[in-house]
Amino acid sequence: MTAPRKDSLNLVPFVSVDNMMKLILSIGVEEAIEGIAAQIESDFKRWESFDKTPRIASHSKEGVIELMPTSDGEVYGFKYVNGHPKNTKEGLQTVTAFGLLADVYTGYPVLLTEMTILTALRTAATSAMAAKYLAPKNARVMAIIGNGAQCEFQALAFKRICGIDTVRLYDIDPIATDKAEFNLRDSGLKVIRASSHQECVSGADIITTCTADKQCATILTDNMVGSGQHINAIGGDCPGKTELHADILRRSDIFVEYPPQTRIEGEIQQLAPDHPVKELWKVMTGQEEGRTSESQITLFDSVGFAIEDFSALRYIHDVIKGTRFYDDLDMLADPDEPRDLYGMVRRAEKALAAAE
């Protein structure tokens, strides 16, 4: 991090939802996903330099609110995020988020940004990045079960990073599939609408599950998964929420982000605490093997981890420089004399009185 300017210590760059959309569109959605994926890959390859802890979660019967912090010793970042599946029926987003970066040396924030859109981008970027190491070679067909807010981002990420040219869609709510089919009409992908889970996954090289219900569901049964397929399971992200039958897990080589978190929140919460898994960062650094055969079933049991958000925040911090896609937010008190905070308040009182 560069040292803050002494004449503007109170100002923190803020990226609103409106500016995030303008920024991403100016870059290109697929290009932004690719850029975020590259930053995540770079940070995963220096995994050991980060502070790591499972996200801090506050659960209720309605959903969950979480904080996801990490630091590499020079930069600190965190994300606030919720997950409320019932929100969709009330016309609200299931997931909303914002995030912050700070300079470790001073503790001063250097970026505040919306992360609802950014989380969708980084989730898709992470999925496609993992698939580079785990999916079958020359994979072209992807099935997506669960056609909600994440669906199109996943399709575009796999097209850009993995070369997918066909996407098969299924959701128990046909309106969700209508939406996804419409949004992907000019994407360059061949879009096929399936009438069932089974039809959706039949013949697919990659299967992505991204449903939202906060419960243990069986989106995929054992007989639906064949040899050689890669499963990108991103819907299970809290205790008591899964998408895959446990027998699929027992047949698969399982790859995870951070085992202490995934064993609580991921598909592997269904298995014994010592069931073998491989950490994705070790595959990326050559310490573990990824896909080793054409018949192998690989499973990325992704629950989302703070380093991915850190990477996405770093990406945004870099790309907003020299653009108009942020506002300077008067966020930090900056008295002329650091110890005279009260005097700053009193001087403001006098200024207000003089203005009246």
Side-chain angles (χ1 to χ4, degrees):
M1 289 277 112
T2 57
R5 287 175 51 191
K6 293 295 184 181
D7 60 346
S8 58
L9 291 177
N10 61 308
L11 300 179
V12 177
F14 168 62
V15 183
S16 65
V17 172
D18 183 57
N19 272 329
M20 181 63 76
M21 292 189 292
K22 290 175 180 176
L23 175 66
I24 297 306
L25 289 172
S26 73
I27 298 168
V29 175
E30 291 184 28
E31 290 81 1
I33 290 172
E34 187 174 37
I36 293 169
Q39 184 66 60
I40 295 171
E41 185 167 10
S42 174
D43 286 337
F44 267 48
K45 288 180 178 179
R46 60 187 189 101
W47 183 269
E48 293 171 294
S49 68
F50 285 90
D51 292 336
K52 293 172 284 292
T53 183
R55 55 181 148 224
I56 303 162
S58 176
H59 293 278
S60 68
K61 59 183 175 61
E62 289 82 13
V64 63
I65 295 174
E66 301 168 331
L67 290 178
M68 301 174 65
T70 191
S71 173
D72 65 358
E74 295 184 3
V75 183
Y76 171 88
F78 79 82
K79 182 174 78 173
Y80 165 100
V81 61
N82 77 296
H84 284 63
K86 60 88 182 173
N87 279 5
T88 301
K89 295 178 181 178
E90 300 174 13
L92 302 172
Q93 286 287 310
T94 298
V95 175
T96 64
F98 67 87
L100 180 143
L101 278 185
D103 179 9
V104 168
Y105 181 71
T106 64
Y108 275 46
V110 297
L111 176 70
L112 178 66
T113 179
E114 84 80 38
M115 285 196 76
T116 306
I117 296 168
L118 187 54
T119 294
L121 293 164
R122 77 87 163 131
T123 300
T126 303
S127 294
M129 177 201 69
K132 283 202 314 178
Y133 294 87
L134 304 177
K137 291 182 180 179
N138 302 315
R140 291 291 177 266
V141 181
M142 177 181 181
I144 304 179
I145 299 178
N147 302 154
Q150 179 61 206
C151 175
E152 297 91 334
F153 294 98
Q154 290 283 324
L156 294 174
F158 277 79
K159 170 179 174 282
R160 180 76 177 196
I161 296 172
C162 302
I164 291 300
D165 58 29
T166 301
V167 61
R168 305 168 68 93
L169 304 176
Y170 178 74
D171 196 293
I172 58 173
D173 180 0
I175 295 176
T177 306
D178 290 343
K179 177 269 302 178
E181 190 175 22
F182 179 81
N183 287 340
L184 292 172
R185 68 194 184 284
D186 298 322
S187 66
L189 288 163
K190 180 180 179 182
V191 180
I192 299 172
R193 186 185 186 116
S195 59
S196 67
H197 298 80
Q198 291 88 343
E199 182 184 333
C200 188
V201 303
S202 179
D205 303 302
I206 298 169
I207 303 170
T208 290
T209 57
C210 50
T211 60
D213 286 344
K214 190 182 179 184
Q215 62 182 350
C216 289
T218 306
I219 306 303
L220 290 182
T221 55
D222 189 35
N223 65 308
M224 294 166 63
V225 178
S227 64
Q229 290 182 311
H230 172 61
I231 305 169
N232 177 42
I234 62 173
D237 57 7
C238 66
K241 180 184 177 188
T242 58
E243 297 178 314
L244 310 183
H245 193 285
D247 285 347
I248 297 173
L249 309 182
R250 297 185 182 100
R251 294 170 55 209
S252 304
D253 287 321
I254 303 171
F255 301 83
V256 304
E257 292 137 320
Y258 183 57
Q261 181 172 295
T262 310
R263 291 193 187 278
I264 296 170
E265 301 179 346
E267 296 297 328
I268 58 173
Q269 66 185 274
Q270 303 177 71
L271 303 178
D274 60 351
H275 187 89
V277 299
K278 294 181 180 180
E279 295 181 61
L280 184 59
W281 74 270
K282 291 184 177 179
V283 175
M284 296 168 65
T285 56
Q287 299 178 52
E288 297 270 14
E289 290 187 310
R291 176 168 288 273
T292 57
S293 73
E294 294 183 0
S295 61
Q296 180 186 19
I297 299 172
T298 52
L299 167 60
F300 181 39
D301 188 3
S302 177
V303 297
F305 190 60
I307 293 175
E308 295 153 23
D309 298 305
F310 177 95
S311 302
L313 287 165
R314 286 290 298 269
Y315 174 80
I316 295 299
H317 180 262
D318 290 342
V319 298
I320 62 170
K321 294 174 182 176
T323 77
R324 63 186 186 279
F325 302 124
Y326 68 94
D327 299 295
D328 283 325
L329 186 65
D330 186 8
M331 185 174 169
L332 304 176
D334 180 32
D336 296 332
E337 164 54 57
R339 296 168 295 182
D340 192 20
L341 190 60
Y342 180 70
M344 179 181 175
V345 175
R346 292 303 304 268
R347 288 189 292 276
E349 179 184 30
K350 292 178 181 179
L352 286 171
E356 293 178 352

